Amino acid sequence: MLPVLFVIFGYLTFINHTTPVRKAFLLIILFYAYHIAGAQSPTFNFHQLSTGNGLHDPTIRDIAQDKYGYIWIGSSTGLNRFNGYDVKVFQHQMSDSFSLPENRVFALLADKAGNIWIAQPNGISRYDYNNNHFIYQPESKNISAYKMLQANATEIYLATREGLVLFDIVKGTFTWLKNSSHDLSQILLSRYINDFCSSNGKIYIATDSGLVQYTIATGLAKKIMLAPVSNAFIGKVAIDTANNIWVSYGENGLQLLKTDTNFSKYITCDQFTLTNTKKTDNRITSVFSDDKGRLWLATSQFGLCLYNETTNTFASYMHDPLQMMSISDNLTTTLFQDRQGYMWVGTEVSGVNYFHPDQTFFRSIQPSYNQSPALPDYWCRAAGEDINGNLWLATAQGIAEYNIKKNSYTLFQHTTGKNNSLHFNSVRSVLCDGDIIWIGTANGLNRYHLSTGKMDYLGEKEELPESFFWSIIKDFQGNIWFGCRDGIYRYNKSKGAIEGLGTDSLLGSYAGNNTVSMYEDSRHRIWFGFNTKGLLMYDPAKATAKYWRKNAHDPTSISDDHVTSVTEDKKGFIWIATLDGLNAYQESNNTFTKYLMGNGLTSSLLADEQNRLWFASSKGLQMLDTARKIFSLFDISYGLPTVDFNYQDAYRMKNGNFIYPTLKGFILFDPSKYINRNNISETYISSFTVYGNKRDTIINFEDKKNISLRPGENFFAIDMIALNYGNPKEIWYAHKMEPFDKEWLYSKDRTVNYTNVPGGDYIYHYKTSTDINNWNTPEKLIAVYVDTIYYKTWWFRLISLLLALFIIFCLYKYRITQKEKVYTLQTKANSLEKEKVLVMYESLKQQLNPHFLFNSLTSLSGLITANPVNAKQFLDKMSKIYRYILTSRDHETVSLAEDIKLATIYTELQQTRFKDGLKVLIDVSEIYLHRKIAPVTIQNLIENAIKHNIIDEARPLMINVFIEDDRLVVQNNLQKKKFVETSNKHGLVNMQSLYNYLSGRPVVITEDESNFIVRVPLL
């Protein structure tokens, strides 16, 4: 086991240009820092923001968050604003009176309205979002504030070297809260203020000579006599969520005190003083209570510290050059928590670190310079859990027994000439079996006894080769199976001996295969994954074995012959990982369903309690959902130390946690705690550019609801921003500008470019998600108006059209003049044709007069003597018919309603003559009554039917009038007379000519064995 100082000196040699005195001093620091965090504590993945990411300088003085969610970082040479993607730097510009007044920033404050205030050596300023500039408060010229505190909506308190200052935001005035040296309260408020905080209308002020309490309502201050502290130096003061007051006190603020607001109970924490004889220059630079009541300390030597109330101790999170996700520096300066719950830690020389204390899903187990002994190597291969709950972690440089509760390691490595040591340092597999730990190395097998501490080597005596032992499993009968480069071996529990399987009737043919992975399923079948030789399933209960190889001509065969891992899910399906994809075995038809083909390595398969499938791949750790449709990928941005996984089996702990081996340590996580959530607090449109030039507006873009563009400004870009500081590169953006875009568009690119957008009104919809398959997130929109350029407007097009028509008219005027006579002749011809048709029409109308008149008068004569009343009605109807003919003869068309009315009267007259021998049914919907036809059309057609057909009460003539396909249809049954004395055979022909002139649509006449039908087009 390596001594502590050996590891510490290794750390010191890692740091270049370090003096011997400095090295010795750091030895002391690291020794005691190790004891501060000796017990197991939560692990955090620190994200780092430094000058390499855009910060202007690495010396951080304060951090704040504005109303939009942007993070503002004040440094020694400028002001920075971070949005998760990039940093915008603000500095003083000599030629710009609205720039930052000076570069050095002491303190930042986001007031209750979300405005950002900046305290600098010579006053304070406010950032104006709309105009993107700073407004300096001239009355603060001689005020140098080191911290700002807002106690109510309109007032800000400033901590300075000369005392407390009250700033009235509305009035813009500054008042020093000191008036007379004889007033004790004013003297107390005029001292050098190191720190202050507020609660319940009181401000607690840390000074060089003790703690001062200031009551805002009365304006009075008093000295607080802290029993264990007396008049000691108070460096920092903070109030936690339980209303406890924390103060750092003593020389440089090394010690920490906790008390209640009545100052009746005290708890001291002096672990940072180290020993009475070996004090360091460590300082508590910030005390902060987060939203969950946890207390954090920023220190000058011990990095970030988290308080454990149960033990009254602090866990220290210090920089470890071997761990990429550790804090970047031990000299921390300021602490801040944003609205998403992320903790932000400023440092003196390494920029900003940030992490989420409640969303650290993955924990890394890696070598560490801050701990000795530690995990012996980065390249990790396998894990197991013994009966004591300790983990056995196999690496390329030995195996470590890891006590999780104590956060301590016991190392087992090869020592030349020592019989009780590990046979070979490159450990490939491990199995914990009660008191026995089976350890497979790259050159043989070891067996360790927990109770005695004895390490056995099993070799030639046990007929085992010095081989590469890939995998070790225990079956349900207690037998131990070994998969190695030279084949398959088994420890027979009943015999107490290891046996080869070369002579086994079922396994003998495969016992020499290079066996990479083994797995026993719920039916006690054992699956063997071979290196380049496929997959084998052995069923001891049925005494059968089944073997599969890749078949390039069979799409249902296994995807690759190099099998790396096998597991069974909660539904009993067998999953197989290979070097070329994932396979699901369908036992019912002996086929394999392939997933992720062509994406390279898959390995380390495990199914969790929700039946989600977890596995390692070439791209990172992946999860396949329970529906077996959606893959979720986890990479470095999620806190993994690497995406390079060792292609050996993962391990499931007794508590359900998973352990995955990688080339940079182990990854440990609880899959049951994974919830696919969208950790996005705010989404905005952050900028709008037209032809590459950013558009400035009176209202800040984050607040704008509409954008208006001038004619021609139809090439523009919209920048969106989603504030997810933990994993901004994994954010998906969805957008749609209606009606320009027909569907939602999805991309990880937060800039959307539009080209050649027509003028008009648009609505731009946008939303974000951390999961491409989950868009149950809030949608936002902004109205976009693009003015139409003049040559695309309707009035310009109308003028252009009229001008073109005028030019055409002028060009063809001569030709038109020449053809005018021809046109005149054609017009006359058309008039003659019309007159001809009208004559024919008149002739058509006159056809009914003689015969109809004769028959009508005859009927009238009979009625006069028989029924004078009916005779009068008959005469009235006759007069109406002839009156209609006289009034309509000057019109080409009449309404269908008028003609139906005439036809009805005419029918009634005829029925006086024919009685029940004539039946006329007119069935026309009201929606057609406004349509036009030629006058007396229906009457002529009814008369034509009466003229050509026999009418008898025993065989009545049935005439139907109705509308069909935009035509008036007159249909009668055929009862043809042998001789028609008044027919001239021209009636229907003339009607066809008339309608051809009126509408261009023909009158269609059809006749079959039973019906005669005339279809007249409606006008």
Side-chain angles (χ1 to χ4, degrees):
M1 203 161 48
L2 293 175
V4 175
L5 295 182
F6 180 81
V7 176
I8 296 175
F9 272 117
Y11 171 59
L12 293 174
T13 57
F14 185 85
I15 304 174
N16 296 325
H17 310 296
T18 305
T19 65
V21 174
R22 179 65 172 167
K23 288 181 179 179
F25 179 72
L26 287 176
L27 276 174
I28 300 172
I29 296 298
L30 291 175
F31 178 79
Y32 286 99
Y34 168 72
H35 288 286
I36 287 175
Q40 176 68 11
S41 56
T43 58
F44 304 118
N45 296 323
F46 290 89
H47 300 265
Q48 298 172 6
L49 181 63
S50 64
T51 52
N53 307 110
L55 277 183
H56 188 261
D57 77 276
T59 304
I60 308 304
R61 291 292 172 254
D62 206 358
I63 303 171
Q65 185 177 33
D66 65 17
K67 60 184 178 181
Y68 301 114
Y70 298 124
I71 299 298
W72 292 75
I73 303 165
S75 69
S76 60
T77 61
L79 183 61
N80 309 264
R81 187 177 70 185
F82 180 50
N83 60 18
Y85 294 88
D86 46 50
V87 178
K88 182 176 182 178
V89 177
F90 300 91
Q91 282 196 299
H92 175 65
Q93 304 292 329
M94 293 290 293
S95 59
D96 185 0
S97 60
F98 288 104
S99 67
L100 198 66
E102 50 190 311
N103 289 331
R104 204 159 36 134
V105 176
F106 285 162
L108 298 172
L109 174 69
D111 66 20
K112 296 184 185 299
N115 297 306
I116 291 293
W117 296 90
I118 304 98
Q120 296 184 281
N122 293 296
I124 68 171
S125 306
R126 178 177 62 85
Y127 178 68
D128 186 333
Y129 292 95
N130 297 329
N131 297 297
N132 192 28
H133 65 216
F134 296 88
I135 300 175
Y136 179 64
Q137 305 295 316
E139 291 192 14
S140 66
K141 181 178 181 180
N142 297 319
I143 298 175
S144 181
Y146 289 87
K147 188 171 182 178
M148 295 182 284
L149 175 68
Q150 187 173 17
N152 54 57
T154 61
E155 295 178 332
I156 294 176
Y157 291 86
L158 311 178
T160 75
R161 288 174 175 168
E162 291 79 27
L164 193 63
V165 179
L166 175 62
F167 169 46
D168 189 308
I169 300 174
V170 178
K171 297 178 181 178
T173 58
F174 293 83
T175 304
W176 288 87
L177 299 182
K178 56 178 182 179
N179 296 317
S180 170
S181 60
H182 301 290
D183 185 342
L184 178 60
S185 69
Q186 304 303 333
I187 294 174
L188 291 174
L189 296 177
S190 64
R191 297 179 180 181
Y192 191 129
I193 298 177
N194 298 315
D195 194 13
F196 61 0
C197 64
S198 68
S199 176
N200 297 324
K202 293 181 173 58
I203 298 177
Y204 298 91
I205 305 169
T207 72
D208 289 350
S209 57
L211 184 67
V212 175
Q213 176 183 285
Y214 173 70
T215 303
I216 297 175
T218 63
L220 298 177
K222 66 178 180 179
K223 178 79 171 290
I224 302 298
M225 301 304 295
L226 302 173
V229 177
S230 187
N231 293 322
F233 169 89
I234 304 296
K236 298 295 175 181
V237 60
I239 298 180
D240 64 21
T241 54
N243 217 29
N244 296 310
I245 299 175
W246 294 80
V247 296
S248 67
Y249 65 97
E251 184 179 353
N252 289 330
L254 282 171
Q255 296 169 284
L256 196 65
L257 175 88
K258 173 184 177 182
T259 183
D260 60 286
T261 52
N262 295 323
F263 308 103
S264 59
K265 299 177 182 179
Y266 298 93
I267 297 176
T268 58
C269 307
D270 57 0
Q271 67 188 97
F272 296 103
T273 61
L274 300 182
T275 68
N276 292 329
T277 58
K278 294 182 179 179
K279 292 187 177 181
T280 73
D281 66 347
N282 177 60
R283 300 182 308 281
I284 296 174
T285 55
S286 182
V287 182
F288 187 87
S289 177
D290 70 13
D291 59 354
K292 298 295 177 60
R294 290 167 295 215
L295 190 78
W296 303 84
L297 302 182
T299 70
S300 62
Q301 296 293 345
F302 294 150
L304 177 68
C305 299
L306 174 61
Y307 179 62
N308 185 326
E309 187 173 9
T310 303
T311 61
N312 194 35
T313 59
F314 284 85
S316 180
Y317 296 88
M318 300 179 66
H319 173 65
D320 191 329
L322 297 181
Q323 297 187 6
M324 180 181 65
M325 303 304 290
S326 69
I327 197 167
S328 62
D329 190 68
N330 292 332
L331 180 48
T332 55
T333 57
T334 186
L335 300 175
F336 174 75
Q337 186 178 36
D338 68 20
R339 292 191 291 273
Q340 282 183 296
Y342 282 90
M343 288 293 300
W344 297 77
V345 185
T347 72
E348 186 67 27
V349 294
S350 299
V352 176
N353 294 259
Y354 59 97
F355 66 97
H356 202 299
D358 300 307
Q359 294 181 11
T360 304
F361 182 63
F362 296 106
R363 175 188 170 192
S364 299
I365 304 176
Q366 297 175 293
S368 172
Y369 271 121
N370 294 336
Q371 186 174 10
S372 177
L375 196 67
D377 195 67
Y378 281 112
W379 191 354
C380 299
R381 274 76 176 271
E385 185 178 11
D386 65 22
I387 56 176
N388 299 318
N390 297 326
L391 294 179
W392 288 75
L393 305 175
T395 75
Q397 292 297 322
I399 190 167
E401 180 188 18
Y402 177 46
N403 188 314
I404 300 178
K405 294 180 180 179
K406 295 182 179 180
N407 191 30
S408 62
Y409 293 87
T410 303
L411 304 187
F412 298 86
Q413 294 174 303
H414 174 71
T415 303
T416 303
K418 186 177 179 181
N419 294 330
N420 201 38
S421 69
L422 198 63
H423 180 67
F424 197 74
N425 275 341
S426 180
V427 181
R428 286 290 177 171
S429 55
V430 60
L431 173 70
C432 298
D433 179 26
D435 186 58
I436 303 298
I437 309 297
W438 299 91
I439 304 169
T441 75
N443 196 29
L445 182 67
N446 282 95
R447 180 174 58 190
Y448 179 73
H449 302 265
L450 285 173
S451 58
T452 63
K454 182 181 178 181
M455 180 77 74
D456 297 330
Y457 171 67
L458 307 177
E460 294 182 5
K461 181 180 178 182
E462 291 78 17
E463 299 183 356
L464 279 175
E466 286 193 344
S467 183
F468 207 109
F469 281 77
W470 291 99
S471 179
I472 308 173
I473 67 169
K474 179 180 179 181
D475 67 20
F476 79 106
Q477 294 177 327
N479 301 316
I480 309 298
W481 296 76
F482 307 98
C484 68
R485 183 178 290 164
D486 293 290
I488 307 169
Y489 292 83
R490 177 174 61 194
Y491 172 77
N492 192 317
K493 182 180 180 181
S494 61
K495 296 179 180 180
I498 296 177
E499 54 190 11
L501 299 172
T503 60
D504 188 272
S505 59
L506 291 173
L507 299 177
S509 302
Y510 315 102
N513 288 354
N514 186 350
T515 306
V516 175
S517 177
M518 299 183 296
Y519 178 77
E520 183 183 30
D521 66 20
S522 60
R523 295 158 62 181
H524 306 305
R525 301 176 299 181
I526 299 179
W527 298 76
F528 301 91
F530 299 131
N531 185 346
T532 72
K533 291 192 176 181
L535 175 70
L536 174 70
M537 185 271 287
Y538 167 59
D539 190 338
K542 295 182 178 180
T544 59
K546 207 166 192 177
Y547 184 54
W548 297 272
R549 295 291 300 271
K550 177 182 178 181
N551 185 346
H553 303 290
D554 183 3
T556 65
S557 69
I558 195 167
S559 63
D560 189 68
D561 282 337
H562 193 144
V563 177
T564 60
S565 183
V566 181
T567 197
E568 181 181 17
D569 67 18
K570 296 297 179 182
K571 294 185 177 181
F573 290 100
I574 302 298
W575 293 83
I576 302 97
T578 73
L579 288 188
D580 192 33
L582 183 65
N583 302 260
Y585 175 59
Q586 306 289 330
E587 190 169 7
S588 60
N589 55 12
N590 193 34
T591 61
F592 294 85
T593 302
K594 302 177 181 64
Y595 296 81
L596 301 179
M597 285 293 295
N599 286 303
L601 163 73
T602 59
S603 65
S604 306
L605 285 165
L606 288 175
D608 64 20
E609 291 301 318
Q610 299 180 43
N611 206 30
R612 298 175 298 192
L613 198 69
W614 298 79
F615 61 95
S617 73
S618 301
K619 297 180 180 180
L621 184 65
Q622 297 206 50
M623 181 193 72
L624 179 59
D625 72 342
T626 55
R628 304 298 186 243
K629 293 181 179 180
I630 300 173
F631 289 88
S632 298
L633 176 65
F634 305 89
D635 55 18
I636 294 176
S637 63
Y638 283 87
L640 299 184
T642 181
V643 294
D644 297 321
F645 285 82
N646 189 29
Y647 61 92
Q648 287 183 239
D649 285 322
Y651 180 73
R652 185 196 309 268
M653 294 177 60
K654 296 172 186 176
N655 61 5
N657 287 356
F658 290 176
I659 302 178
Y660 276 74
T662 78
L663 301 187
K664 286 191 177 181
F666 290 95
I667 298 170
L668 187 150
F669 62 97
D670 183 354
S672 67
K673 293 184 178 179
Y674 175 73
I675 300 174
N676 191 6
R677 58 170 66 92
N678 283 319
N679 297 320
I680 301 172
S681 61
E682 295 291 349
T683 301
Y684 302 108
I685 289 178
S686 58
S687 66
F688 193 92
T689 57
V690 180
Y691 289 105
N693 299 315
K694 185 175 179 180
R695 174 62 57 87
D696 293 325
T697 60
I698 296 176
I699 301 175
N700 206 38
F701 266 106
E702 287 81 355
D703 293 324
K704 281 189 70 63
K705 300 300 181 185
N706 55 75
I707 299 172
S708 295
L709 300 175
R710 294 187 294 272
E713 293 183 334
N714 57 348
F715 285 71
F716 53 84
I718 301 174
D719 284 332
M720 299 171 288
I721 187 74
L723 300 181
N724 179 7
Y725 294 105
N727 199 8
K729 293 182 180 179
E730 292 302 312
I731 294 176
W732 286 89
Y733 291 85
H735 63 91
K736 177 176 63 174
M737 188 168 73
E738 292 180 329
F740 189 83
D741 297 321
K742 303 303 180 184
E743 297 178 347
W744 283 95
L745 304 174
Y746 304 92
S747 173
K748 284 188 176 181
D749 189 351
R750 60 191 185 93
T751 300
V752 180
N753 293 290
Y754 285 97
T755 59
N756 200 28
V757 177
D761 291 298
Y762 302 92
I763 300 295
Y764 183 77
H765 304 259
Y766 61 102
K767 55 185 177 180
T768 55
S769 174
T770 54
D771 182 2
I772 184 60
N773 301 296
N774 177 14
W775 287 100
N776 187 24
T777 57
E779 176 186 327
K780 302 182 77 173
L781 54 87
I782 185 171
V784 179
Y785 171 71
V786 182
D787 199 358
T788 305
I789 199 166
Y790 73 92
Y791 54 79
K792 293 184 178 181
T793 58
W794 67 269
W795 55 265
F796 181 84
R797 291 177 178 176
L798 178 61
I799 292 174
S800 300
L801 177 62
L802 293 175
L803 181 61
L805 292 174
F806 177 75
I807 294 173
I808 293 172
F809 173 77
C810 292
L811 291 175
Y812 287 95
K813 184 177 181 180
Y814 178 75
R815 294 183 62 186
I816 292 173
T817 303
Q818 294 298 318
K819 293 180 179 180
E820 202 170 14
K821 293 181 180 180
V822 177
Y823 295 151
T824 303
L825 292 174
Q826 290 177 343
T827 302
K828 289 181 178 180
N830 291 335
S831 299
L832 291 174
E833 179 68 21
K834 180 178 179 181
E835 290 177 4
K836 176 183 176 182
V837 173
L838 289 175
V839 170
M840 293 169 60
Y841 169 64
E842 288 295 326
S843 176
L844 177 66
K845 289 192 293 183
Q846 294 302 322
Q847 288 182 33
L848 62 84
N849 292 341
H851 193 261
F852 171 69
L853 180 60
F854 174 79
N855 291 332
S856 297
L857 292 175
T858 302
S859 299
L860 179 62
S861 175
L863 287 173
I864 290 172
T865 58
N867 191 337
V869 175
N870 287 345
K872 182 180 185 302
Q873 293 177 351
F874 187 92
L875 183 61
D876 290 339
K877 291 177 181 178
M878 280 187 62
S879 65
K880 288 180 181 179
I881 291 174
Y882 281 94
R883 188 182 299 112
Y884 175 83
I885 293 173
L886 292 173
T887 57
S888 63
R889 64 189 304 164
D890 297 326
H891 302 284
E892 289 185 354
T893 62
V894 295
S895 69
L896 183 58
E898 293 177 11
D899 213 61
I900 289 174
K901 184 176 180 181
L902 173 67
T904 302
I905 297 172
Y906 175 77
T907 300
E908 291 173 354
L909 290 178
Q910 295 289 11
Q911 285 174 337
T912 303
R913 176 186 174 193
F914 296 111
K915 302 290 190 278
D916 292 336
L918 175 64
K919 295 185 178 181
V920 179
L921 176 63
I922 300 176
D923 183 14
V924 177
S925 174
E926 291 185 1
I927 61 174
Y928 295 98
L929 295 180
H930 69 284
R931 301 291 294 275
K932 303 290 186 178
I933 60 173
V936 300
T937 296
I938 301 175
Q939 179 180 339
N940 281 333
L941 292 175
I942 293 174
E943 183 181 14
N944 188 68
I946 294 171
K947 184 189 305 181
H948 290 85
N949 290 278
I950 298 170
I951 301 175
D952 187 5
E953 291 186 359
R955 295 172 57 200
L957 177 64
M958 306 292 294
I959 302 174
N960 294 310
V961 181
F962 55 93
I963 303 296
E964 185 180 87
D965 295 331
D966 204 41
R967 291 175 180 269
L968 174 71
V969 180
V970 180
Q971 174 183 310
N972 65 271
N973 57 326
L974 282 177
Q975 299 177 166
K976 287 187 177 181
K977 295 179 180 179
K978 293 182 179 180
F979 173 74
V980 181
E981 59 185 28
T982 61
S983 175
N984 58 13
K985 307 295 184 181
H986 295 298
L988 291 179
V989 174
N990 290 341
M991 182 179 287
Q992 286 178 314
S993 299
L994 175 63
Y995 274 94
N996 186 54
Y997 164 74
L998 292 174
S999 69
R1001 297 164 61 196
V1003 173
V1004 179
I1005 302 172
T1006 58
E1007 179 179 337
D1008 55 26
E1009 294 179 357
S1010 57
N1011 293 292
F1012 183 85
I1013 305 170
V1014 180
R1015 291 181 172 84
V1016 179
L1018 294 176
L1019 306 178

